[in-house]
């Protein structure tokens, strides 16, 4: 496919590392740079949220190595992944670090890039579509809508040690943007909801859970901020899940049923 393009894509040089975002799950959301990387890489270190159908684009003979990196699931430690990249690059391999979503949006890509610099390993970064935008879009939620909000805040639901981020000023966050999009928040979602309401958000504010965003397994569940605990119990909502808080969630009532889909017709409201 890439050979027929009216422009040239970069050559993957031996001994280099490419940090590439594979998008949120739907293979159709892969960038051309990602496809180009898959077709040239000798060794692919891929995360748990990378859709396996994407890996079928890898060139024949490429080594596919699972690196994990999914909250609460067994995986390599970050230091082990970094050391593995460096070691393979020093062996002269074209090393593709394939990450779900975007490498620099809650993806530890910055940490890996800094480690590569310290090790004097040349690298490139290719962004990917992040789940915090694509998931809501597939669920009929525009994260910005002119008559509703002019800002959106993206947050992680846990700190480096697995707890709710200690640096968060929940009162400031509650006032900062009309729409909040949480990644990796399910482990502490009850506490997060309580903190938001204490910070000033209303308990009847619309909330949407989007599980397995953009994939054929995508499910969407609408509730209110004050009913989050009940919704999780009723629907057995588990990670990976994007959580959207704000009035734009209500737009899904009209948009979601009218979005033309293929595999995503199994969504629920």
């Amino acid at each position: 496919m890439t050979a027929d393009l009216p422009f040239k894509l970069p050559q993957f040089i031996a001994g280099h590392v490419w940090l590439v975002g594979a998008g949120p799950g739907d293979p159709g959301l892969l960038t051309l740079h990602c496809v180009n990387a898959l077709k040239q890489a000798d060794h692919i270190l891929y995360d748990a949220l990378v859709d396996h159908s994407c890996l079928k684009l890898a060139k024949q003979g490429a080594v596919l190595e699972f690196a994990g990196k999914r909250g609460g699931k067994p995986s390599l430690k970050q230091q082990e992944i970094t050391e593995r990249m460096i070691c393979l690059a020093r062996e002269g391999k074209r090393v593709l670090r394939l990450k779900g979503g975007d490498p620099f949006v809650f993806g530890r890509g910055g940490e890996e890039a800094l480690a590569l610099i310290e090790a004097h390993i040349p690298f490139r970064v290719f962004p990917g579509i992040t789940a915090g935008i694509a998931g809501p879009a597939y669920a009929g939620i525009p994260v910005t809508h002119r008559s509703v909000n002019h800002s959106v805040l993206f947050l992680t639901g846990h700190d480096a040690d697995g707890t709710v981020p200690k640096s968060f000023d929940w009162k400031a966050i509650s006032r900062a943007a009309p729409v909040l999009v949480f990644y990796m928040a399910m482990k502490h979602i009850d506490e997060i909801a309580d903190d938001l309401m204490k910070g000033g958000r209303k308990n009847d504010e619309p909330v949407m859970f989007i599980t397995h965003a953009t994939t054929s397994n995508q499910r969407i569940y609408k509730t209110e901020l004050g009913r989050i605990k009940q919704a999780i119990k009723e629907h057995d909502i588990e990670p990976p899940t994007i959580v959207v808080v704000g009035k734009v969630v209500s737009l899904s009532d009209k948009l979601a049923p009218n979005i033309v889909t293929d595999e995503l017709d199994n969504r629920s409201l």
Side-chain angles (χ1 to χ4, degrees):
M1 181 185 75
T2 55
D4 299 326
L5 296 173
F7 51 85
K8 287 186 66 176
L9 290 169
Q11 182 182 356
F12 204 156
I13 300 170
H16 287 215
V17 174
W18 283 7
L19 306 173
V20 181
D26 182 348
L29 296 178
L30 290 175
T31 67
L32 290 174
H33 280 305
C34 185
V35 175
N36 182 48
L38 284 162
K39 290 185 175 297
Q40 295 187 69
D42 300 315
H43 200 110
I44 301 170
L45 282 163
Y46 67 95
D47 282 347
L49 293 179
V50 172
D51 192 280
H52 279 214
S53 61
C54 302
L55 299 174
K56 294 178 181 178
L57 293 169
K59 74 174 184 180
Q60 187 173 4
V63 176
L64 306 178
E65 184 175 351
F66 178 68
K69 304 317 299 173
R70 180 168 164 190
K73 303 291 184 180
S75 63
L76 295 175
K77 290 183 170 57
Q78 184 60 52
Q79 183 62 30
E80 293 175 318
I81 295 171
T82 302
E83 290 174 356
R84 185 77 174 130
M85 285 192 301
I86 293 169
C87 180
L88 289 165
R90 285 175 174 165
E91 291 175 3
K93 302 289 195 300
R94 298 170 181 84
V95 184
L96 171 56
R97 179 72 176 99
L98 193 61
K99 305 170 81 68
D102 179 271
F104 281 4
V105 180
F106 305 121
R108 303 188 186 181
E111 298 172 39
E112 294 175 355
L114 289 170
L116 292 169
I117 291 170
E118 189 174 342
H120 305 290
I121 302 295
F123 69 94
R124 294 190 68 160
V125 179
F126 294 105
I129 297 174
T130 184
I133 294 174
Y138 273 44
I141 301 172
V143 292
T144 64
H145 190 73
R146 193 165 55 167
S147 63
V148 178
N149 67 306
H150 293 86
S151 62
V152 57
L153 184 59
F154 297 93
L155 307 100
T156 177
H158 65 73
D159 221 331
D161 59 3
T163 61
V164 176
K166 301 177 182 65
S167 60
F168 279 4
D169 180 337
W170 288 104
K171 286 186 178 180
I173 286 172
S174 296
R175 298 191 303 267
V179 176
L180 308 176
V181 179
F182 286 92
Y183 296 68
M184 302 171 287
M186 292 305 295
K187 184 177 180 181
H188 305 294
I189 193 62
D190 292 349
E191 185 179 348
I192 289 169
D194 288 342
D195 286 335
L196 287 173
M197 288 185 286
K198 289 175 184 175
R201 304 297 282 234
K202 294 181 179 180
N203 62 359
D204 63 350
E205 187 165 10
V207 174
M208 180 75 82
F209 293 95
I210 306 164
T211 68
H212 298 282
T214 78
T215 72
S216 59
N217 295 318
Q218 176 176 298
R219 296 291 187 278
I220 57 179
Y221 306 99
K222 185 180 175 185
T223 186
E224 296 176 348
L225 197 57
R227 295 196 71 257
I228 276 180
K229 191 178 295 186
Q230 296 95 308
I232 292 170
K233 287 182 179 178
E234 288 172 11
H235 301 291
D236 192 27
I237 305 170
E238 295 183 344
T241 296
I242 292 291
V243 184
V244 185
V245 180
K247 290 183 180 179
V248 289
V249 167
S250 297
L251 293 171
S252 67
D253 294 342
K254 187 171 185 178
L255 292 177
N258 290 286
I259 293 176
V260 177
T261 62
D262 296 317
E263 294 85 356
L264 297 181
D265 282 330
N266 58 9
R267 296 168 303 175
S268 59
L269 277 170

